[in-house]
Amino acid sequence: MTQVAVITGAGSGIGRAVAIDLLDAGYTVVLAGRREDKLEETASLGNGPALTVPTDVADPDSVRALFGQVRDRYGRVDVLFNNAGLNITGSVADLSVEDWRHVIDVNLTGSFLCAQEAFKLMRDQEPQGGRIINNGSISAHSPRPSTPAYAASKHAITGLTKSISLDGRPYRIACGQIDIGNATTEMSHIFTSGVPQANGTIAPEPTFDVRHAAAAVRQMAGLPLDTNVQFMTIMATNMPFVGRG
């Protein structure tokens, strides 16, 4: 039976790379994101059946509509890659409440809403079960300067991952988290041009091919449901994460 995977934030970056990888691996992939043109572009780059569904993950009605289409068209979902996210920089003293709420709404509430709808479908479908993979980021462990909302949202993703893992046990629903550091995407130029360091300086950082991150997600997705990668960190080997900042 063909596996059905839903990917949020599929119009660019890590979401696009994972979508292409899963399409090429034989999955049926549902591409969710804000911009339909970008989703269609992603679909054209993979070799497999894809459904594009413009979605605002922070809007409960939009998320319900997404998974309603998945249920009506395929009758099930086997994998959710909770990937949609954004960052708005600003120190604790300067970040506006509106920007704080926007980041939390997309990164954390959006992940919860998508996990909730996927969970209900996985619980009720036959055969029962599925896998939810949350994109945590290195910021789930260590923040960069002036990223309080992003860091808080990604730290919270770890708690959400653990809660889903526990709640999913009676229903053969596995949940894991992948934390990705400095993968090459459309935004990776910021790493090579220089990013803020813990000591207040700006310095370039090494990157790694985003295709390796996509392959890691596929590895997690392809495990039998009695086996789970609870947490995985994949990163550029020499990025300044391991050790004292």
Side-chain angles (χ1 to χ4, degrees):
M1 182 173 62
T2 302
Q3 298 276 290
V4 178
V6 175
I7 300 174
T8 67
S12 62
I14 292 168
R16 171 173 285 183
V18 171
I20 293 169
D21 189 279
L22 292 184
L23 284 167
D24 291 348
Y27 284 76
T28 295
V29 180
V30 180
L31 309 172
R34 292 174 299 162
R35 294 182 53 182
E36 187 169 15
D37 60 329
K38 290 295 186 180
L39 299 177
E40 294 290 351
E41 188 176 296
T42 298
S44 71
L45 296 171
N47 297 305
L51 172 67
T52 60
V53 185
T55 305
D56 177 0
V57 297
D59 179 357
D61 291 336
S62 184
V63 172
R64 280 192 291 269
L66 164 65
F67 284 91
Q69 285 200 49
V70 174
R71 181 187 61 249
D72 293 344
R73 184 162 183 141
Y74 303 113
R76 66 181 297 104
V77 60
D78 298 286
V79 177
L80 165 64
F81 182 41
N82 246 337
N83 169 72
L86 60 85
N87 181 26
I88 300 175
T89 58
S91 72
V92 171
D94 300 326
L95 189 71
S96 70
V97 173
E98 291 75 20
D99 286 343
W100 166 274
R101 286 176 173 159
H102 185 39
V103 173
I104 297 298
D105 281 350
V106 173
N107 295 7
L108 180 56
T109 304
S111 293
F112 164 73
L113 292 172
C114 291
Q116 184 178 63
E117 292 303 316
F119 190 107
K120 290 188 287 188
L121 188 49
M122 292 171 177
R123 179 194 61 195
D124 297 339
Q125 64 196 14
E126 291 292 340
Q128 187 182 64
R131 188 179 306 274
I132 296 169
I133 302 171
N134 293 325
N135 187 346
S137 163
I138 294 293
S139 288
H141 305 271
S142 295
R144 292 190 183 276
S146 298
T147 60
Y150 187 78
S153 72
K154 292 303 185 177
H155 275 64
I157 287 293
T158 300
L160 179 63
T161 297
K162 292 178 180 179
S163 293
I164 296 168
S165 295
L166 290 175
D167 290 349
R169 286 179 175 179
Y171 310 108
R172 300 184 70 247
I173 298 171
C175 183
Q177 178 173 316
I178 185 166
D179 299 321
I180 301 169
N182 291 13
T184 55
T185 66
E186 298 92 326
M187 296 297 293
S188 60
H189 66 275
I190 66 173
F191 299 121
T192 55
S193 61
V195 290
Q197 304 297 306
N199 63 2
T201 62
I202 302 294
E205 295 184 8
T207 61
F208 74 101
D209 195 320
V210 70
R211 290 178 297 177
H212 301 314
V217 173
R218 172 166 42 85
Q219 180 186 20
M220 294 172 73
L223 291 170
L225 292 178
D226 64 357
T227 306
N228 189 40
V229 174
Q230 188 65 64
F231 295 100
M232 177 190 287
T233 300
I234 183 168
M235 52 180 265
T237 302
N238 293 333
M239 68 176 292
F241 167 58
V242 178
R244 297 172 185 257

